[in-house]
Structures are given as structure tokens and as C-alpha cells.
Amino acid sequence: MAHPTRIFKTPEELEIVWSKYKADLKEKESEWLKIQYVGKDGDRVTDSTKIPYTLEGLKRYCWDEGIGDISNYFDNSGELYNDFKVICSRIRNEIRENQIIGGMNGFYNPSITQRLNGLIDKKETEIKGGLNIPPLPDIGER
């Protein structure tokens, strides 16, 4: 049973908004400039910075564009959004892939990317200690 106040009637409508969100991020990359000084004369060069996909960003985009709150589609509140499970899963997977690849290639902070995606770089170090004291001769012996 569909919720009567749905924003999207079909999963394809949500997919269209997802594509528009990604295009919007591409446009906003020019607002996040990385400044470098290169060459022997230290010429100033600016490059746009890649912006990661996030579910929070998609939700914000929908609010900003007047679409509304899309949280229920991803939470599947009351199982009223079962027909959106596949597209929501695909969006989550694309976000995760974007963040992981971006972190691996140095576009995003690898440590934050690992934490956001539940990837743990666990190093266990076991230190075994003990004293190795050689036996001392008895003072009474000569």
C-alpha cells in the first residue's frame, strides 16, 4: 500500500532527482577551489575539488529544491516504501562506492571515508614482556 502523501510516485522519479543531485554537486565543485603554487616561479593554480556523494547531501538537495523530506523512502517507514527498496539500495551503494574510491585515490580524507563506510584499518600489536634476569651467585659462596 502506497503512502498517500508520497513525493515520488515511482522509483524512476527518485532516480531522476538522484541524477540531478549529482549534476548539482558537479556544478558546486567550482566553489571549493584547491590553490597550489607550482613551477620555479610559484605560479598560482586553482583546481576545483571533487565533492563526495552523501545521503545527507541528497536530503538537503531535496529540501533546497522544494521537493521535501525524502527520509521515509530510505527508512521505509511502516514498510510503505517497499517499491523503492531497490533504488534506495542502489543510491546507498553508489554513495559508498564514490566515497571509497575517492578516499583510495586521495580525493577525500581516507580516515573519514573509512569511518563513514565502516571500513576499519585495525592493527593489533601484542607486546609480550618479561624479565630475563640471569641467576646471581649466592653471596655466601666464595
Side-chain angles (χ1 to χ4, degrees):
M1 172 168 180
H3 192 276
T5 60
R6 276 189 174 183
I7 296 169
F8 306 113
K9 303 301 180 208
T10 67
E12 291 78 20
E13 291 177 16
L14 176 55
E15 188 173 16
I16 290 168
V17 170
W18 169 242
S19 295
K20 288 180 179 179
Y21 163 70
K22 293 187 294 184
D24 183 62
L25 286 185
K26 192 80 173 146
E27 287 178 27
K28 289 186 174 160
E29 286 177 359
S30 63
E31 296 174 15
W32 297 90
L33 297 177
K34 182 178 177 182
I35 299 170
Q36 300 178 54
Y37 295 92
V38 298
K40 65 179 179 106
D41 297 326
D43 296 327
R44 181 183 167 158
V45 177
T46 57
D47 292 319
S48 60
T49 303
K50 186 162 175 44
I51 300 175
Y53 302 158
T54 64
L55 188 54
E56 292 77 13
L58 175 61
K59 291 175 183 179
R60 182 229 13 105
Y61 173 80
C62 288
W63 275 109
D64 290 353
E65 295 298 311
I67 296 167
D69 182 8
I70 63 166
S71 298
N72 289 333
Y73 292 88
F74 291 90
D75 300 339
N76 195 14
S77 303
E79 295 194 7
L80 296 172
Y81 302 87
N82 283 336
D83 48 333
F84 286 84
K85 280 183 176 180
V86 172
I87 187 61
C88 289
S89 178
R90 175 154 179 6
I91 289 170
R92 280 192 178 104
N93 288 337
E94 191 172 342
I95 288 169
R96 188 169 196 266
E97 178 188 38
N98 172 270
Q99 292 176 357
I100 291 170
I101 292 172
M104 291 172 73
N105 288 327
F107 290 102
Y108 314 139
N109 181 311
S111 177
I112 293 172
T113 301
Q114 287 172 354
R115 279 185 265 147
L116 286 174
N117 290 288
L119 304 171
I120 301 171
D121 186 17
K122 215 181 216 185
K123 294 179 184 170
E124 292 187 27
T125 306
E126 186 176 328
I127 301 173
K128 293 183 180 181
L131 297 174
N132 187 9
I133 302 173
L136 298 173
D138 191 11
I139 297 179
E141 294 179 21
R142 283 211 188 221

